[in-house]
Amino acid sequence: MITESDLDPALDWRAEIERLRLQKNAVILAHYYQDGPLQDLADFVGDSLDLSRRAAETKADVIVFCGVRFMGEVAKILSPDRLVLVPDLDAGCSLEEACRPEYFKKFRDKHPDHLAVTYINCSADVKALSDIIVTSSNAESIINQLPADQPILFAPDHHLGSFIKRRTGRDNMVLWPGACIIHEQFSEQALKTLKSLHPDAKVAAHPECPEGILLYADYVGSTRGILQYVTESPEQTFIIATEPHIIHQMEKRTPGKTFIPAPGADGSCTCAICPHMAKNTLAKLYLCLVNENPRIEIAEDVRTRAMIPLQRMLEMSTAIPKARHAAG
Ligand code: 13P
């Protein structure tokens, strides 16, 4: 196994990754929260729903997932015959950590009449205990497809759950008390100050943000939704309340517009960088292709149970158009 210390610092990463991608018939998928150079190398960059769709449909032998571990797991659940590689197996998610399967099972057992609608940011084990998986781009539409009197358990993000509750008017939703460390740290006071300095700026926010931040938003949506909003809007300046690496795609698609990361409590934006996504680097991407490791492996009984709510999600998302764009 080659390690980072064996690497020649003069290596042309882009050329080497390109060579290995062709040699192994690999597809590289990346989330918008990845570092710009990783996004630029990917065959497809997207939000959680589009990446799940790509992973389910790919003809490649190898899927390399530049994102966090649960995203790689989704690819393996939907495409079990593919080799699924991730640059760093330790790239986790605070929402996943906030929802351990043993506690989630107890939560379910306490509410036997409720349907478990679970956000995709969770482990394969939690998916295996769920009825339907949702992402931030299809949660509202999927919940609207359920009978109005159906009681629902929503886990693990209570900010997204509250947002969906407000949007759908469903009072019969019980929320798991989890939150994303990145979206929770945005400061309402600092955002107010920033807005007063940029009165023309529009605020685009991810629904994982607390309600106090969403109250200031001109647009609330998934990463893909936010990207589409700033691209299509005639406005020129935007405050972005989500992980700031998405600004890389915004600047590529709409050069000339201004994107300001929403501030944290100390008035800066560096605390909004996801420490898990940041674990992935070009060197680790290269090494995972060379070594065919780290691999995502899931026990078959967990995988088959987790596949059912994920497939239900894909079936219930047909009204949501697929992303038109690939990387670049
Ligand atoms: P989407 O890309 O589906 O909006 O989800 C991003 C995410 O995981 C936020 O933490």
Side-chain angles (χ1 to χ4, degrees):
M1 176 110 60
I2 302 176
T3 67
E4 224 162 320
S5 57
D6 301 322
L7 294 179
D8 174 358
L11 201 69
D12 181 346
W13 303 112
R14 182 172 282 277
E16 281 301 301
I17 290 168
E18 192 53 44
R19 180 182 66 74
L20 288 163
R21 176 190 2 220
L22 291 173
Q23 182 190 318
K24 298 185 186 238
N25 186 26
V27 65
I28 301 175
L29 306 180
H31 190 266
Y32 292 124
Y33 293 167
Q34 288 291 272
D35 204 13
L38 287 170
Q39 293 188 36
D40 292 344
L41 266 169
D43 296 288
F44 182 78
V45 188
D47 71 354
S48 304
L49 176 62
D50 284 320
L51 289 165
S52 306
R53 285 167 157 166
R54 285 282 161 146
E57 291 165 0
T58 186
K59 303 273 184 289
D61 296 317
V62 179
I63 300 172
V64 183
F65 216 118
C66 296
V68 290
R69 192 178 47 241
F70 80 77
M71 297 178 175
E73 285 182 350
V74 168
K76 188 68 183 175
I77 293 165
L78 294 171
S79 287
D81 301 335
R82 318 285 171 203
L83 179 62
V84 179
L85 304 172
V86 289
D88 191 323
L89 209 47
D90 289 334
C93 169
S94 51
L95 283 164
E96 175 182 342
E97 284 160 19
C99 189
R100 301 269 301 275
E102 59 274 29
Y103 297 119
F104 184 70
K105 174 147 187 349
K106 284 188 186 151
F107 182 59
R108 281 226 67 174
D109 290 346
K110 251 176 76 180
H111 301 90
D113 300 333
H114 288 57
L115 205 68
V117 178
T118 308
Y119 191 32
I120 199 164
N121 296 39
C122 65
S123 65
D125 289 303
V126 167
K127 288 185 177 77
L129 292 165
S130 302
D131 295 307
I132 308 173
I133 301 300
V134 295
T135 75
S136 54
S137 57
N138 60 20
E140 183 180 341
S141 144
I142 287 181
I143 285 177
N144 276 332
Q145 292 172 55
L146 302 175
D149 58 353
Q150 171 64 59
I152 293 168
L153 296 182
F154 190 89
D157 189 315
H158 79 100
H159 293 307
L160 174 62
S162 303
F163 172 71
I164 299 296
K165 237 175 134 164
R166 292 193 295 278
R167 296 278 297 197
T168 59
R170 302 249 175 173
D171 293 327
N172 50 4
M173 271 173 78
V174 180
L175 309 182
W176 180 274
C180 163
I181 49 167
I182 296 311
H183 292 89
E184 271 233 308
Q185 60 73 49
F186 291 123
S187 156
E188 196 179 330
Q189 191 51 48
L191 180 59
K192 246 169 96 173
T193 308
L194 187 65
K195 263 183 76 79
S196 66
L197 294 172
H198 302 273
D200 294 337
K202 297 289 172 199
V203 177
H206 197 278
E208 286 181 24
C209 292
E211 187 179 2
I213 297 294
L214 297 184
L215 285 174
Y216 293 89
D218 298 284
Y219 175 82
V220 180
S222 74
T223 50
R224 191 226 303 191
I226 292 175
L227 188 56
Q228 196 169 338
Y229 168 71
V230 303
T231 308
E232 292 173 0
S233 167
E235 305 294 336
Q236 292 302 306
T237 306
F238 301 88
I239 297 172
I240 307 299
T242 192
E243 215 276 0
H245 281 102
I246 193 172
I247 292 174
H248 178 68
Q249 287 296 325
M250 296 174 177
E251 287 174 341
K252 281 176 83 167
R253 291 197 196 157
T254 56
K257 289 190 180 179
T258 302
F259 304 105
I260 308 166
D266 65 354
S268 83
C269 73
T270 49
C271 37
I273 289 175
C274 174
H276 297 289
M277 292 276 180
K279 284 189 159 64
N280 297 330
T281 60
L282 278 180
K284 288 182 189 171
L285 171 58
Y286 168 74
L287 284 172
C288 86
L289 273 161
V290 172
N291 294 326
E292 298 195 352
N293 200 57
R295 297 175 178 202
I296 297 283
E297 310 274 13
I298 304 171
E300 187 57 11
D301 66 314
V302 174
R303 191 197 69 75
T304 49
R305 283 186 292 124
M307 191 171 65
I308 297 166
L310 265 172
Q311 277 182 337
R312 221 167 258 154
M313 171 187 88
L314 294 175
E315 284 158 19
M316 293 177 86
S317 304
T318 47
I320 296 169
K322 292 185 181 180
R324 280 166 288 149
H325 48 262

